[in-house]
Amino acid sequence: MSDYISIYQSIQNECKTMAKGTPPVIIAVSKTKPYEVIREAYLQGIREFGENYIPEAIEKFTKLREEFPESIESVHVHHIGPVQSGTLRKLFGIFSYTHGVGSFSSLTELLKRAEKEKKTIRYFLQTNLTSENTKHGFPLETLLLKGDDLLTFQNEYCIWEGFMGMGPSSGDLAQTRDVFTKLASFRNTYFPHKQLSMGMSGDYEMAVELGSNFVRIGSKIFGERDYGTHTV
Ligand SMILES: *Cc1c(COP(=O)(O)O)cnc(C)c1O
């Protein structure tokens, strides 16, 4: 079995050195990877996982809880795909966080569901700072218009953690830096107490330099994904 924890810890140490404040949480993105890989990563000590296909995550992490009941307390599963109204009720129970709230209608529904389920979920508003119209998420102007009203989208169970951002799908690093810089400055100016979820395998260094609090790393820890039936 691969040595996931060594890679995880070296990313963690690198981020600790680069971060200006509290070092970021490193989310090991295990999407498309089989249960055996998650089991092994768990045994090696990894506790933060990221998944974007809900049924697949439920299957894998239910199994982990059955085999290691203590993992219920210590493991956080982060949902990193777009939140859809039709499936968001399935987030409750397995996921501690969702990083993909991209519309006010799904947010309203998430809030209602959380109260009904009486299960805590922390969420990130996904922003869209590229001109790609395929990208899900809020333009910063939309968030600016809401201003402090954004703080009202919370209840006892549904907690607003911060903003999530991604560079363009092309992976262009100059454009990615531009996106991360804009989002970080927006956060610092208007919502300094909120967290930032930015950075993936190819761009986490610049994200952390710019103040990211959560980085989402898949291929660098687990290797390339075999794009099977469900990826995004
Ligand atoms: C897959 C995915 C990641 C991880 O991507 P890598 O490039 O493999 O690190 C991070 N964030 C989101 C939203 C993803 O879908």
Side-chain angles (χ1 to χ4, degrees):
M1 270 290 181
S2 305
D3 189 0
Y4 306 119
I5 194 71
S6 297
I7 308 171
Y8 186 89
Q9 284 170 340
S10 78
I11 298 171
Q12 209 166 34
N13 290 334
E14 196 188 348
C15 290
K16 228 177 250 173
T17 317
M18 288 184 301
K20 293 182 183 85
T22 313
V25 173
I26 317 294
I27 302 166
V29 176
S30 50
K31 65 184 186 197
T32 79
K33 297 294 166 190
Y35 174 65
E36 291 66 38
V37 168
I38 288 163
R39 181 185 191 276
E40 182 59 28
Y42 172 75
L43 288 173
Q44 291 177 12
I46 292 178
R47 295 292 180 267
E48 305 289 328
F49 291 90
E51 291 278 342
N52 64 355
Y53 188 67
I54 303 175
E56 180 189 312
I58 292 175
E59 196 186 315
K60 293 189 286 190
F61 286 90
T62 302
K63 231 171 168 177
L64 191 75
R65 288 177 174 191
E66 281 165 10
E67 199 175 346
F68 307 100
E70 66 282 8
S71 72
I72 295 179
E73 296 300 326
S74 59
V75 165
H76 295 136
V77 189
H78 299 253
H79 174 250
I80 58 171
V83 170
Q84 271 135 7
S85 302
T87 50
L88 64 80
R89 66 192 160 81
K90 296 189 191 146
L91 289 171
F92 296 92
I94 288 285
F95 292 96
S96 308
Y97 293 82
T98 174
H99 294 240
V101 175
S103 71
F104 287 117
S105 61
S106 56
L107 177 53
T108 306
E109 181 144 354
L110 190 73
L111 283 156
K112 263 197 239 157
R113 252 303 150 179
E115 284 216 302
K116 207 169 191 177
E117 303 274 344
K118 303 202 184 315
K119 286 186 182 135
T120 302
I121 194 142
R122 297 175 176 273
Y123 73 88
F124 287 86
L125 294 174
Q126 184 168 346
T127 57
N128 180 354
L129 282 83
T130 68
S131 45
E132 295 165 295
N133 51 17
T134 48
K135 272 242 162 76
H136 157 97
F138 296 97
L140 289 189
E141 305 78 71
T142 307
L143 298 178
L144 252 185
L145 277 175
K146 287 276 177 187
D148 282 347
D149 284 353
L150 283 180
L151 296 162
T152 63
F153 289 90
Q154 297 192 79
N155 61 38
E156 190 185 347
Y157 297 100
C158 190
I159 296 150
W160 179 30
E161 193 75 18
F163 303 98
M164 188 272 227
M166 283 201 275
S169 335
S170 67
D172 182 280
L173 285 182
Q175 272 175 284
T176 302
R177 178 175 285 277
D178 192 47
V179 165
F180 288 175
T181 306
K182 277 194 187 129
L183 183 55
S185 118
F186 177 82
R187 186 274 303 260
N188 299 345
T189 310
Y190 299 103
F191 297 97
H193 303 299
K194 294 294 166 196
Q195 309 283 298
L196 280 179
S197 167
M198 327 189 282
M200 309 177 25
S201 294
D203 54 27
Y204 70 91
E205 289 98 338
M206 71 170 83
V208 173
E209 243 174 65
L210 290 163
S212 183
N213 310 100
F214 288 78
V215 296
R216 312 175 310 270
I217 314 277
S219 45
K220 187 160 171 141
I221 298 171
F222 294 115
E224 287 306 315
R225 284 179 290 277
D226 20 311
Y227 281 102
T229 43
H230 29 257
T231 50
V232 189

